[in-house]
């Protein structure tokens, strides 16, 4: 090593130490200032945030589903209310042995394999403290059996709440719809934590869906102090829910149930309207489902049974069923003739049909000379062929619309179909074809392109009966809309007179006249062809059910001062006089003499196998038995090659 040796003096060492100590002091002070600033920021600026976090760690907030508002009829009788619901949930985070817990719950609650599979799937997708439903609508004994064993069942959460209840079951299914749990898509759309709360149900169909915002109410909340691991320590406070509002309908609950029961095993509808204010008194559609099953959680077997039923129990036929009206359309053609200046006393000779070119349009018989009154009473096709041809389809379509056909009404239902009232412009627009005289003849008797719903037929009847353009209403507080029709009252009286003759004279429904002193029902029968049958045969008993003619009837009572208007449609009932008119007679009888109607219904139900619930239970048992023991396949028919040709 070369060079001078550096000598460090004591003073230099002291200076260097002091400088380093000073720098270290400044650094410590800087860190202290930073820490103090951060603490001040947290303590002051972010105080509220951290207080909330600490509170959320200490307190578990649970939403309480709100009680839905009741749906009541015009007299305040509940159509949909709430009942106490005992339910069992699982808290995934607190489960120690899921399979062992499920095994014990299966024994206590009698859970079947389908329910256990569903719970296992839900547990796989669940996280944290989000409850997984195990069973709802439990009776007290089963609920209590779980409660007393809760200490040995970690993760099991018994809860008392409220569930939707429909006292009349299937009789009101298509009217009010049903409720069910929110879907994942609905939660993603709203991000509302209430949608994840066990026991919360929202409207899925019918009025329950359309009036959801009114019926839902506001949720309550329950605060529970928990440990760091989420174990409850004590209840802090509970905020009660705000129930939804009660909705009052124009429906007569007793009449609604009677009409549904009176339809028996038929697939059809009954609609009754008050001709004073347009109130819908009943709108029954059968067969139907039990909305309580949907509220409690429908099983796959129940869903499969209804989905495979060719009578379509999931479809509200009163609003969504469309049918050719047949002869129940003839009052509209009569109105078109009267509005066009046709003399009601003018006669048309019916020799059995109407010749148009080289085609002969048949009548239901040979009626001889008929005027408007006689044509309605005898349902003479020839007369209405002639009138339709003379006034033209535009006039017939305008009269039909005046009576409410082809319209969509301002009612609170998720959907309704408005059918078809065709005219030349409609056909050109839809099929790019010109309207033909044969189209007019078919439309004049309610066939061809014409399609109407049972509700529209009831509205048509109410307007004929009242002479006013009544707008149907289902909510009791809805405004009454009833301007006068564009036709003189005495002219409308001519149509009513013909309909009186249909039931009380020499018409097509004399067997269905009311058996009440001093009260007569006027009406019009209709038999609508579903499809053309090979060989010109009509749709009677000799063809499969789905090819049989529909039976229809529209009516009103009392004839002198109409108060009620009714429409009945029996799908594939084969005739209006045989299938639909007797139902209308009994339904109107209920409005004037309730006990007489109930007595006659009791006799019918005894032959049908009981009331609606009894018959549905038998049907469900038969379906389950058929699934459990499927019929053996006949080797002779179990061929690999399907049959060729048309099997119809």
């Amino acid at each position: 090593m070369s060079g001078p040796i550096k000598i460090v003096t004591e003073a230099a060492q002291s200076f260097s130490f002091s400088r380093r100590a000073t720098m270290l002091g400044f650094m410590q002070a800087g860190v202290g200032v930073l820490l103090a600033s951060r603490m001040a920021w947290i303590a002051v600026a972010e105080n509220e945030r951290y207080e909330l976090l600490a509170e959320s760690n200490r307190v578990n907030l649970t939403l309480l589903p709100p009680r839905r508002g009741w749906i009541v009829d015009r007299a305040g009788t509940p159509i949909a209310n709430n009942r106490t619901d005992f339910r069992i949930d699982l808290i995934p985070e607190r489960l120690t042995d899921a399979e062992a817990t499920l095994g014990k719950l299966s024994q206590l609650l009698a859970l079947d394999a389908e329910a256990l599979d569903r719970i296992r799937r839900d547990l796989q997708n669940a996280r944290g403290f989000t409850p997984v439903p195990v069973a709802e609508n439990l009776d007290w004994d089963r609920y209590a059996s779980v409660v007393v064993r809760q200490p040995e069942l970690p993760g099991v959460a018994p809860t008392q709440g409220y569930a939707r209840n429909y006292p009349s079951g299937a009789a009101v299914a298509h009217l009010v719809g049903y409720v069910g749990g929110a879907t994942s898509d609905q939660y993603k759309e709203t991000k509302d934590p209430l949608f994840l709360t066990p026991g919360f149900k929202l409207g899925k169909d019918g009025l329950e869906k359309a009036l959801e915002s009114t019926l839902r109410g506001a949720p309550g909340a329950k605060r529970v102090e928990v440990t760091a691991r989420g174990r409850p320590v004590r209840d802090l406070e509970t905020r009660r829910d705000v129930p939804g509002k009660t909705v009052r309908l124009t429906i007569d609950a007793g009449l609604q149930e009677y009409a549904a029961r009176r339809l028996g095993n038929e697939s059809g509808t009954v609609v009754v309207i008050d001709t004073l204010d347009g109130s819908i008194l009943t709108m029954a559609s059968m067969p139907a489902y039990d909305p309580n099953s949907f509220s409690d959680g429908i099983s796959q077997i129940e869903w499969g049974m209804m989905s495979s039923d060719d009578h379509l129990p999931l479809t509200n036929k009163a609003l969504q069923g469309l049918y050719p009206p047949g002869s129940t359309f003839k009052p509209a053609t009569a109105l078109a003739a009267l509005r066009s200046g046709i003399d009601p006393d003018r006669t048309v000779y019916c020799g059995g049909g109407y010749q148009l070119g080289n085609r002969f349009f048949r009548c239901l018989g040979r009626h001889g000379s008929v005027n408007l009154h006689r044509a309605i009473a005898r349902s003479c096709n020839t007369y209405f062929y002639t009138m339709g041809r003379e006034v033209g389809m535009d006039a017939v379509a305008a009269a039909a619309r005046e009576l409410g056909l082809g319209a969509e009404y301002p009612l609170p239902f998720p959907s309704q179909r408005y059918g078809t009232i065709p005219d030349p412009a409609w056909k050109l627009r839809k099929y790019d074809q010109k309207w033909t005289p044969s189209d007019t003849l078919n439309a004049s008797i309610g066939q061809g392109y014409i399609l109407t719903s049972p509700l529209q037929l009831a509205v048509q009847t109410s307007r004929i009966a009242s002479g006013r353009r009544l707008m149907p209403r289902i909510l009791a507080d809805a405004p009454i809309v009833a301007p006068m029709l564009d036709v003189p009252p005495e002219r409308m009286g001519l149509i009513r007179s013909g309909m009186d003759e249909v039931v009380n004279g020499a018409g097509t429904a004399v067997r269905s006249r009311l058996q009440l002193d001093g009260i007569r029902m006027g009406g019009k029968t209709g038999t609508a062809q579903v499809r053309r049958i090979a060989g010109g045969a009509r749709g009677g008993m000799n063809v499969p059910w789905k090819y049989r003619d529909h039976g229809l009837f529209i009516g009103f009572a009392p004839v002198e001062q109409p108060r009620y208007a009714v429409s009945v449609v029996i799908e594939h009932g084969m005739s209006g006089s045989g299938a639909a008119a007797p139902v209308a007679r009994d339904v109107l009888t209920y409005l004037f003499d309730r006990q007489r109607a109930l007595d006659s219904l009791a006799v019918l139900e005894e032959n049908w196998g009981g009331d609606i619930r009894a018959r549905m239970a038998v049907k469900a048992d038969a379906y389950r038995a058929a699934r459990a023991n499927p019929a053996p396949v006949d080797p002779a028919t179990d061929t690999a090659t399907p049959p060729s040709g048309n099997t119809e």
Side-chain angles (χ1 to χ4, degrees), residues 258-266 578-579 582-587 596-612 615:
Y258 180 86
R261 292 170 60 186
R262 181 58 184 82
L263 284 168
N265 295 315
E266 301 285 0
V583 176
R585 174 200 60 202
D586 291 351
V587 168
R596 179 192 286 264
L598 290 172
D599 290 344
S600 64
L601 178 61
V603 176
L604 292 172
E605 287 190 330
E606 186 176 353
N607 295 325
W608 293 337
D611 59 13
I612 296 174
R615 297 198 306 275

Side-chain angles (χ1 to χ4, degrees), residues 68 83 85 87 136-137 163-166 169-170 172-174 176-182 199-206 208 287-307 312-315 616:
R68 290 182 72 80
R83 54 175 164 74
D85 177 35
R87 56 179 296 120
E136 300 174 301
N137 190 29
R164 203 55 160 167
N165 181 53
Y166 304 93
V172 299
H174 293 306
V176 297
Y178 58 90
V179 298
F200 172 72
K201 303 289 176 61
L202 73 167
K204 293 286 187 175
D205 196 13
E208 291 278 23
Y289 52 85
D290 186 349
N292 292 298
S293 296
F294 282 84
S295 178
D296 299 335
I298 191 170
S299 67
Q300 291 185 0
I301 289 181
E302 288 178 285
W303 179 258
M305 181 180 69
M306 290 187 290
S307 301
L312 304 178
L314 297 172
T315 300
M616 288 179 68

